Amino acid sequence: MPVYPNTPLHIGGQWRPGAGLALDVVNPATGEVIGKVESAATTDLDDALAAASSGFTVWRRTSPMERAGIMKKAAGLLAERIEKIAPLLTMEQGKPLQQARNEISSAVEIIHWFAEETTRAYGRSIPARMPDVTQDVVREPVGPVAAFTPWNFPINQSVLKLAAALAAGCSIIMKGPEETPASCAELVKAFADAGIPDGVVNLVYGVPSFISTYLISHPIIRKVSFTGSTPVGKALAQLAGQHLKPITLELGGHAPALVFDDADTDDAARVLARAKYYNAGQVCIAPTRLLVHRAVFDQFVAAFENELKAIKTGYGLDPDVTMGPLANERRLAAMLEFVDDAAEHGANILSGGHRIGTRGNYFAPTIVLGATAECRVQRDEPFGPIALINRVDDYAQAVAEANRLPYGLAAYAFSRSARTMNDLARDIEAGMLSINHHGLALPETPFGGVKESGYGTEGGSEGIDAYLTPKFVSKRFI
Ligand code: NAD
């Protein structure tokens, strides 16, 4: 059994304790306390702010080539450490070991992508009205960043902010996830060990509302980024607005998946089941509302149910396990409430719908048929292993239902018709649409939502934009 470490703060290049009360870290597979995470008080945050300020002065003047070199070295160290870090991620978060490895490998790719982007953050030259005048747009790093990252992908949700900010030349104070701190700290350690200058990357943990209020309000912070729930995102957007700080918000989703009568239904069932139950459904782009044309409904439901046979639920360190426990007790309680409420409203719980065992936060992969719009799970993001399958009659009904909610993060569709694909690309209200496969969340593609799923983009060549600000410089030569 790997030894789970206590997690310190990282401020100004030093790993150190916090002045706040250290918090317990619980293994969601056993309910046991496996370690502690240090907690920041005001003094720690003041030190982090001073460090980020001096770190920014150094990093913004470090050449893009040199920045890219340090970032690639960090990516290399992370890649070398996959087998050490993956079990820590499984122990604190619950996901199966292979999914933990995948998450770290993906972080390595993301760092490489942004390391390359740092050398391509071009400005532009605007033709001037007079021959002795130049008009240039340079893109400068926006300044020290405060980033807030969640527990479902403790490395990946952090690296998207960290790598993009560093590529742009910003320093960062990241508040990592208190429930899953060790893997996020390993990400930061890779950068520290790669030789990033002191103060450029700072990592704190503690009481989220205290830290976010303090950092967002502070004049040193010039940019905010948050991944998490819509209610918290709205509160942070309000605070950022008061202080006129730009904010990127990657919030919840409630992804629709439209299966048309000309789809390959078996393939659709396979793709959607894998995506739905990955990380026990605790994925903001997980397909949740499966809207299936009535002509292929029975066939699809049978195929989807059949996919559940391949899921082995258990402790993620067991190599055969494909679905771990939910990451915390709150999610377990939420799943039970969603299912009870749906059943009370007349829905058919076709599969699962119950806790597994009494130790650990295990919840069975669940299929709910015919949940009406009155059911809570049809409004609130389940963020767990619950799939809702409903019949639709035609394109118009499917699209109306897909767009019904205030969320608009990911959407999926399955059809062989080019016409349907084109119409969907126009009609679906979402930041990302994947048709006939699961093609989202690659380092080189933009990731973000519309409506109450937030604003701003992480990933892709758009990902660095949030951390750059244009400066117009006009010169007349005399
Ligand atoms: P929550 O709303 O309490 O917290 C969500 C995240 O925000 C956590 O990481 C938390 O530490 C952080 N947070 C909470 N209050 C904060 C504050 N004032 N300042 C800064 N950060 C703050 O919910 P939860 O129980 O942790 O998670 C449940 C819900 O969160 C899910 O239903 C899901 O909708 C959402 N969520 C979304 C993502 C995502 O990838 N978009 C990730 C994790 C959680």
Side-chain angles (χ1 to χ4, degrees), residues 148-153 157 175-179 206-213 216 226-233 235-236 250-253 282-285 328 330-331 334-335 338 380-384 407 409 447 453:
F148 303 90
T149 66
W151 45 261
N152 58 337
F153 290 94
Q157 304 279 25
K175 189 202 79 60
E178 289 74 22
E179 290 165 312
V207 177
S209 55
F210 159 67
I211 296 178
S212 58
T213 305
I216 295 171
F226 170 75
T227 297
S229 64
T230 296
V232 175
L236 298 192
E250 202 278 273
L251 307 177
Q282 301 160 116
V283 183
C284 51
I285 58 169
N328 52 55
R330 300 189 298 286
R331 297 276 17 101
M335 292 314 114
F338 280 132
D380 298 347
E381 178 184 24
F383 218 63
Y407 293 114
L409 190 60
F447 189 101
S453 291

Side-chain angles (χ1 to χ4, degrees), residues 64 67-68 71-72 107-121 159-168 191 442-446 457-467:
R67 291 206 293 258
M71 291 176 71
K72 285 180 184 174
V108 170
E109 281 195 46
I110 289 167
I111 300 168
H112 269 287
W113 166 262
F114 279 108
E116 298 286 336
E117 284 297 282
T118 195
T119 62
R120 292 192 286 257
V159 77
L160 280 167
K161 302 178 193 321
L162 180 60
L166 295 180
F191 281 91
L442 301 169
E444 66 274 23
T445 59
T457 301
E458 301 195 299
S461 53
E462 291 85 351
I464 196 172
D465 292 347
Y467 300 94

Side-chain angles (χ1 to χ4, degrees), residues 3 6 60 89 125 251 258 380:
V3 177
N6 292 331
R60 69 180 303 198
L89 177 48
S125 225
L251 307 177
L258 289 63
D380 298 347

